[in-house]
Amino acid sequence: MSMTLDRPTLDSKTPEGPLADKWDNFKANEKLVNPANKRKFKVIVVGTGLAGASAAATLAELGYQVDAFTFHDSPRRAHSIAAQGGINAAKNYRGDGDSVHRLFYDTIKGGDFRSRESNVHRLAQVSVNIIDQMVAQGVPFAREYGGMLDNRSFGGAQVSRTFYARGQTGQQLLLGAYQQLARQIGIGNVRLFNRTELVDVVNIDGRCAGIVVRDLMTGEVSSHSAHAVVLATGGYGNVFFLSTNAMACNVTAAWRAHRRGALFANPCYTQIHPTCIPQSDDFQSKLTLMSESLRNDGRVWVPTMAGDTRAPQDIPESDRDYYLERLYPSFGNLAPRDISSRAAKRAIDSGQGVGPKQNGVYLDFADAIGRLGRNVVAERYGNLFDMYERITGENPYETPMRIYPASHYTMGGLWVDYELMTTIPGLYAAGEANFSDHGANRLGASALMQGLADGYFVLPYTISNYLSQWLNKSIPDTSHPEFARVEAEARDRYHRLASIGGTRSPDYFHRELGKIIWDYCGMERTEAGLDKALSEIPALYEEFSKDLRVTGGEDGLNQTLEKAGRVEDFFELGMLMCRDALEREESCGGHFRAEHQTEDGEALRDDENFAHVSAWEWTGDATQPTLHKEPLAYEEVGFQTRSYK
Amino acid sequence: MSGTLKNLTLKIWRQAGPSDAGRFDTHVIDEITDEASFLEMLDILNERLVESGEDAVVFDHDCREGICGTCSLMINGQAHGPERATATCQLHMRKFSSGDTIVIEPWRASAFPIVRDLMVDRSAFDRIVESGGFITAATGGAPDANLTPIPKPVADAAMDAAQCIGCGACVAACPNGAANLFTGAKVTHLNLLPQGQAERYQRVENMVETMDDHFGGPAPTTVSVRRPARRRSRSM
């Protein structure tokens, strides 16, 4: 009996046929499990954000036994709740030329031709179902006076396809999915394990057999077996320490799966969001996003003159540089995130930054207030303006907002095939935890779309194609010795972290790691910088292993110990990110290598050598991962240079 | 525009477990920039505690942008502190002054048992939603989203109610520790919408019954009081 997996292969399992027919062809040919047999299968879903809650609810509705795990006190706390601006869908309710093809094309182009064409097309196809589903569930999307759904536009698109619920679209969508999940919990179809964190994945006989978890209230480590496991555990943006992610967001679930054989794809594709409130002090714990939707009406500018310390009201039009409108006239202030972020960085690097630390650019609503009136602006963005004022003490109706880019989203993640299965049979990844749909850069309002697409409309179809083979066959349960062995490893690990007895808190090391990653693997990367990071991170990790201090013991509730485990995983991920960024000798989307840019500073792709997914295999040594490549082919749209001018 | 707060006296509730006795611990903390958020001030305290070998203060928090509803502190006797409509995580130290004494407690309500220190168990809210806080609409087969127009004022009113972040401050602030505002917000959101009509009566009855089970309702003998309460909910 072998506990190890076969050598990973990168078969995307893309269905036959023309692009527009692939999803239908998959559904026509997949293996199904009949309704009466579904109850014989157990599926574990880890994470209860948009992807996890929608997957758990839908799988339970279909009749599968579902166990859902969240490390929060309630499924409703997942960080999907913080998404502000909206969700894209190719409804074409505006009649402005939108279509499934247009959304597909915008997503491929936005991703800088580094995503898998078949997955993206399916995403655009099911986007329309998501809006129908969420309205049926009672999501109070914004409406026009006639009662029809309202839309707005987002970066990287020339149509209005974004549905929204004030500045709290993520909250309303997550509460919708949470309520569907709650209904299934209430009628006993889903067992919920709250305040429970995944600490390892267990493989037996070449398939994922279950998971090992830690009860955060008691510290108890235990095993759970299932026919299939879905990881919907979010992204790894907190590797930067300062990010727009929630404090508990971490890579641990995905990383533990990676260490057990799941390949990790494109870790260097991270998104820096252009509109966050700039850092104000050294103890800052997170950066707060100001929704990209603000760029519909706000104008981005800096003083033309470096070091201009006049108040914004005192700077005349002639001394202002509306650089996005100047550089990208057809998209203007709605240029995609990576492009807007780098433009802001260039302005600040050249001394044109504003604010007390000169680390911001202005986002100015004076024109919009003049054109639309204060009331209309308040209706569109009131809650964001209020939040800005609470954080900065400044009133954005009267003085322009200050914004700066911050880590926001990670396009990289566990490699998955068309069916969202990782390279471990029976282990799936959904939502931000996988790599599949956004290529090297995600467009605004597409994260909510992808999370719900995966959970509501993709996984419930694809999972039966795997499960059907196990009908009436026995699978190992938690009495199998492999579960005991993995549990013991997990206990040893927490014991080790709790007993180092050094002098520094986990937060100290997280902050120091974040600085290295931000400096050398942030908005702009160079070979020399990445080399430096790859020597500094292992040195800092060495210090972590010797000087970490965790008080409170290893039994029972211990938030310091939880944090230590997550920070340790960020160290290994950080090394892989830098390795990936070093190996990818081109610039694309959120990955900008300074050595590879055009004369006017735009990203310079190398389709000849890098039109592939970089999927990394864990070798047991974090500094020596093995690279596998999935070639990317574009049948429907040829490679094009991405231009938003 | 930024300054530094000195000599803050924090009186923080410490309690090992649900059935243990609690006490206030006093910490004097210095050199806190007024740009820091309230929770960043607690982060700084915790980092100092850990590095000097003491146990960190346990508190719930996550998004730190006022939307996830995880944070939950009673600050100087006010749920989420002194700033109106602002969660603890969005409260900033510029609202305090050097020399202030700040009393920090967990939510105190019988339905929210204290887990440790400042962390409480708010699972009772989940039980209320599980009993009826949803519209039954299984995935697949939903009609086109624009098939049923919803007048803007109705959609806006539903959204007003739907914005509840489920933090439990209403329960903590209520002298009776009641969950009527939480339950009422969800009922209002769903019962206003055309999609919510089919289950409107059953929804209210189920949610109120669950709420009463956890948060205490009228005594079973006072049926006459309980019935009108439900009828009022129906007209929402």
Side-chain angles (χ1 to χ4, degrees):
Chain A
M1 191 185 304
S2 157
M3 301 308 154
T4 56
L5 302 165
D6 294 335
R7 281 201 62 75
T9 53
L10 293 179
D11 176 4
S12 70
K13 291 197 248 164
T14 299
E16 295 300 312
L19 188 63
D21 297 341
K22 285 182 189 296
W23 183 226
D24 286 340
N25 289 345
F26 173 84
K27 287 189 286 186
N29 295 310
E30 66 162 334
K31 298 185 200 82
L32 298 175
V33 175
N34 91 35
N37 281 331
K38 286 198 173 81
R39 75 175 73 97
K40 298 177 182 169
F41 292 98
K42 183 195 270 188
V43 181
I44 283 172
V45 179
V46 186
T48 59
L50 285 179
S54 58
T58 305
L59 291 169
E61 286 164 8
L62 289 168
Y64 296 109
Q65 302 171 51
V66 176
D67 284 354
F69 292 79
T70 173
F71 59 48
H72 295 290
D73 65 330
S74 164
R76 65 181 289 156
R77 311 285 185 215
H79 193 53
S80 306
I81 203 142
Q84 297 170 355
I87 176 166
N88 288 329
K91 280 289 200 183
N92 193 32
Y93 283 162
R94 303 290 106 193
D96 59 359
D98 200 9
S99 64
V100 166
H101 183 84
R102 174 74 62 177
L103 174 54
F104 155 76
Y105 174 76
D106 286 351
T107 308
I108 291 282
K109 179 185 172 193
D112 217 355
F113 298 86
R114 289 294 175 267
S115 46
R116 190 190 290 144
E117 205 180 38
S118 54
N119 286 54
V120 175
H121 197 274
R122 176 179 62 193
L123 176 68
Q125 284 176 286
V126 304
S127 70
V128 297
N129 304 114
I130 296 170
I131 302 305
D132 298 341
Q133 184 63 37
M134 300 318 285
V135 166
Q137 288 174 8
V139 169
F141 283 118
R143 301 257 167 187
E144 298 171 335
Y145 281 95
M148 300 300 175
L149 289 157
D150 195 14
N151 290 110
R152 55 189 175 200
S153 54
F154 252 65
Q158 289 175 308
V159 295
S160 284
R161 62 160 75 96
T162 305
F163 296 79
Y164 66 101
R166 293 189 190 149
Q168 292 131 280
T169 316
Q171 179 199 29
Q172 292 309 312
L173 294 174
L174 181 63
L175 291 181
Y178 157 70
Q179 286 163 200
Q180 296 312 103
L181 174 61
R183 175 171 164 258
Q184 294 301 316
I185 294 168
I187 55 184
N189 294 341
V190 174
R191 288 196 301 169
L192 176 71
F193 296 81
N194 69 338
R195 296 212 196 254
T196 304
E197 179 167 31
L198 182 148
V199 293
D200 218 333
V201 167
V202 180
N203 302 319
I204 300 171
D205 297 337
R207 60 172 277 281
C208 178
I211 60 174
V212 168
V213 299
R214 183 169 179 274
D215 181 328
L216 299 181
M217 296 296 95
T218 63
E220 189 195 345
V221 170
S222 66
S223 293
H224 297 261
S225 65
H227 290 84
V229 174
V230 178
L231 300 184
T233 50
Y236 51 87
N238 265 351
V239 69
F240 290 99
F241 184 73
L242 280 178
S243 83
T244 66
N245 285 189
M247 301 302 286
C249 292
N250 67 79
V251 75
T252 289
W255 195 254
R256 294 282 129 188
H258 174 60
R259 289 175 59 112
R260 295 288 177 194
L263 298 198
F264 205 104
N266 301 334
C268 79
Y269 291 166
T270 55
Q271 179 165 79
I272 308 298
H273 197 295
T275 55
C276 304
I277 302 177
Q279 186 177 2
S280 65
D281 67 70
D282 294 337
F283 287 98
Q284 192 144 341
S285 58
K286 78 160 273 164
L287 296 169
T288 302
L289 175 72
M290 289 283 105
S291 169
E292 175 169 313
S293 62
L294 291 167
R295 290 197 278 144
N296 271 293
D297 289 307
R299 298 180 69 196
V300 175
W301 65 275
V302 290
T304 311
M305 204 169 44
D308 189 339
T309 54
R310 285 177 290 177
Q313 297 84 344
D314 300 335
I315 301 178
E317 286 292 320
S318 56
D319 290 351
R320 299 178 177 194
D321 181 9
Y322 294 89
Y323 57 86
L324 288 178
E325 297 172 18
R326 176 172 58 81
L327 293 166
Y328 310 102
S330 56
F331 282 76
N333 292 296
L334 284 173
R337 292 175 175 180
D338 53 339
I339 286 174
S340 305
S341 294
R342 281 198 299 277
K345 182 179 191 297
R346 283 197 298 268
I348 289 167
D349 288 350
S350 65
Q352 294 164 283
V354 299
K357 289 180 178 285
Q358 295 188 314
N359 61 351
V361 300
Y362 287 127
L363 180 63
D364 194 337
F365 292 87
D367 281 2
I369 290 169
R371 188 175 73 247
L372 303 164
R374 184 174 164 142
N375 286 348
V376 172
V377 172
E379 182 162 304
R380 287 185 189 169
Y381 312 112
N383 66 317
L384 297 170
F385 279 37
D386 292 347
M387 182 152 79
Y388 182 85
E389 184 168 5
R390 279 197 290 271
I391 292 170
T392 63
E394 293 173 1
N395 178 351
Y397 293 101
E398 284 157 15
T399 189
M401 282 185 179
R402 287 175 291 112
I403 55 167
Y404 189 63
S407 160
H408 178 58
Y409 185 89
T410 52
M411 284 73 68
L414 292 173
W415 185 91
V416 290
D417 63 19
Y418 187 75
E419 300 175 26
L420 304 185
M421 196 193 283
T422 67
T423 51
I424 301 176
L427 181 70
Y428 293 80
E432 191 179 350
N434 74 31
F435 89 105
S436 75
D437 294 352
H438 305 297
N441 174 56
R442 178 176 66 75
L443 291 182
S446 284
L448 302 183
M449 172 173 69
Q450 186 226 333
L452 289 174
D454 286 0
Y456 276 133
F457 296 107
V458 178
L459 260 176
Y461 290 92
T462 60
I463 206 164
S464 65
N465 207 32
Y466 168 78
L467 290 175
S468 58
Q469 66 187 302
W470 302 103
L471 181 64
N472 297 329
K473 292 186 185 146
S474 74
I475 56 159
D477 64 19
T478 56
S479 66
H480 191 284
E482 183 64 5
F483 278 102
R485 195 185 68 78
V486 176
E487 273 186 33
E489 271 187 34
R491 287 191 196 96
D492 289 348
R493 176 170 183 238
Y494 286 100
H495 174 73
R496 170 174 57 80
L497 291 169
S499 43
I500 290 172
T503 66
R504 297 287 195 178
S505 71
D507 274 337
Y508 165 82
F509 289 104
H510 192 186
R511 202 180 293 120
E512 294 299 308
L513 172 66
K515 278 183 204 154
I516 299 173
I517 306 278
W518 179 253
D519 285 347
Y520 302 119
C521 202
M523 261 187 288
E524 189 173 299
R525 296 136 183 205
T526 64
E527 185 179 353
L530 291 164
D531 279 337
K532 194 151 190 256
L534 281 168
S535 74
E536 286 185 6
I537 298 170
L540 185 65
Y541 180 67
E542 183 71 19
E543 198 188 326
F544 172 91
S545 326
K546 289 182 181 146
D547 198 29
L548 176 71
R549 181 159 206 171
V550 172
T551 52
E554 63 202 88
D555 302 319
L557 170 60
N558 187 342
Q559 293 174 315
T560 314
L561 183 59
E562 293 164 23
K563 182 76 198 264
R566 295 168 190 167
V567 172
E568 184 172 53
D569 290 333
F570 276 135
F571 270 106
E572 291 180 351
L573 167 80
M575 287 185 240
L576 189 67
M577 267 175 77
C578 294
R579 170 73 52 183
D580 188 43
L582 187 61
E583 185 275 342
R584 188 166 283 279
E585 295 233 29
E586 64 162 352
S587 294
C588 56
H591 169 64
F592 191 81
R593 282 284 300 269
E595 302 93 332
H596 304 282
Q597 54 183 308
T598 61
E599 275 179 17
D600 47 359
E602 302 295 345
L604 192 59
R605 272 194 345 247
D606 177 357
D607 296 331
E608 191 79 23
N609 295 302
F610 290 97
H612 59 252
V613 176
S614 297
W616 296 90
E617 181 187 357
W618 175 258
T619 59
D621 176 353
T623 64
Q624 301 293 330
T626 301
L627 176 62
H628 301 255
K629 295 175 185 177
E630 178 197 341
L632 291 169
Y634 292 90
E635 295 167 17
E636 194 77 11
V637 289
F639 287 109
Q640 293 163 26
T641 301
R642 192 163 158 252
S643 170
Y644 291 91
K645 293 197 169 180
Chain B
M1 74 191 162
S2 64
T4 303
L5 298 177
K6 295 184 196 312
N7 193 28
L8 294 171
T9 303
L10 307 178
K11 293 188 184 252
I12 302 179
W13 187 259
R14 306 298 297 261
Q15 182 173 332
S19 48
D20 294 297
R23 63 174 197 282
F24 281 105
D25 271 3
T26 301
H27 300 275
V28 175
I29 189 161
D30 242 338
E31 301 300 322
I32 300 292
T33 156
D34 65 4
E35 297 277 330
S37 73
F38 194 84
L39 295 183
E40 284 163 2
M41 184 267 298
L42 288 182
D43 290 341
I44 294 169
L45 173 71
N46 269 346
E47 204 162 333
R48 290 177 191 172
L49 288 174
V50 169
E51 294 186 353
S52 61
E54 295 178 61
D55 290 0
V57 177
V58 172
F59 63 96
D60 261 327
H61 64 100
D62 198 30
C63 77
R64 300 209 175 186
E65 46 190 283
I67 194 75
C68 75
T70 311
C71 63
S72 58
L73 300 180
M74 193 62 104
I75 300 165
N76 288 338
Q78 278 182 290
H80 289 308
E83 197 171 357
R84 198 172 170 276
T86 300
T88 297
C89 65
Q90 294 268 280
L91 178 64
H92 279 66
M93 293 310 292
R94 67 176 75 88
K95 298 285 167 185
F96 296 89
S97 310
S98 291
D100 279 358
T101 294
I102 307 173
V103 181
I104 308 170
E105 295 172 85
W107 286 168
R108 299 207 188 265
S110 56
F112 291 164
I114 293 175
V115 175
R116 184 180 296 177
D117 296 346
L118 304 170
M119 180 188 279
V120 299
D121 179 358
R122 289 165 288 187
S123 304
F125 273 4
D126 289 315
R127 301 294 94 77
I128 293 173
V129 177
E130 287 159 13
S131 71
F134 46 76
I135 290 171
T136 299
T139 308
D144 184 85
N146 259 349
L147 187 68
T148 308
I150 303 177
K152 187 173 188 306
V154 173
D156 285 350
M159 180 64 196
D160 287 342
Q163 293 185 98
C164 166
I165 61 172
C167 62
C170 55
V171 174
C174 173
N176 295 322
N180 297 44
L181 286 175
F182 172 80
T183 308
K186 189 44 64 188
V187 166
T188 304
H189 160 210
L190 298 176
N191 282 19
L192 277 171
L193 296 170
Q195 290 83 2
Q197 295 310 302
E199 297 164 288
R200 61 191 301 220
Y201 301 125
Q202 200 59 48
R203 172 180 304 121
V204 174
E205 297 201 357
N206 291 344
M207 291 177 75
V208 170
E209 194 167 307
T210 309
M211 178 180 79
D212 287 351
D213 287 347
H214 289 274
F215 292 84
T221 50
T222 58
V223 174
S224 61
V225 174
R226 186 167 171 164
R227 285 233 168 107
R230 283 188 188 173
R231 222 168 275 133
R232 273 204 304 280
S233 305
R234 283 179 182 181
S235 63
M236 275 177 172

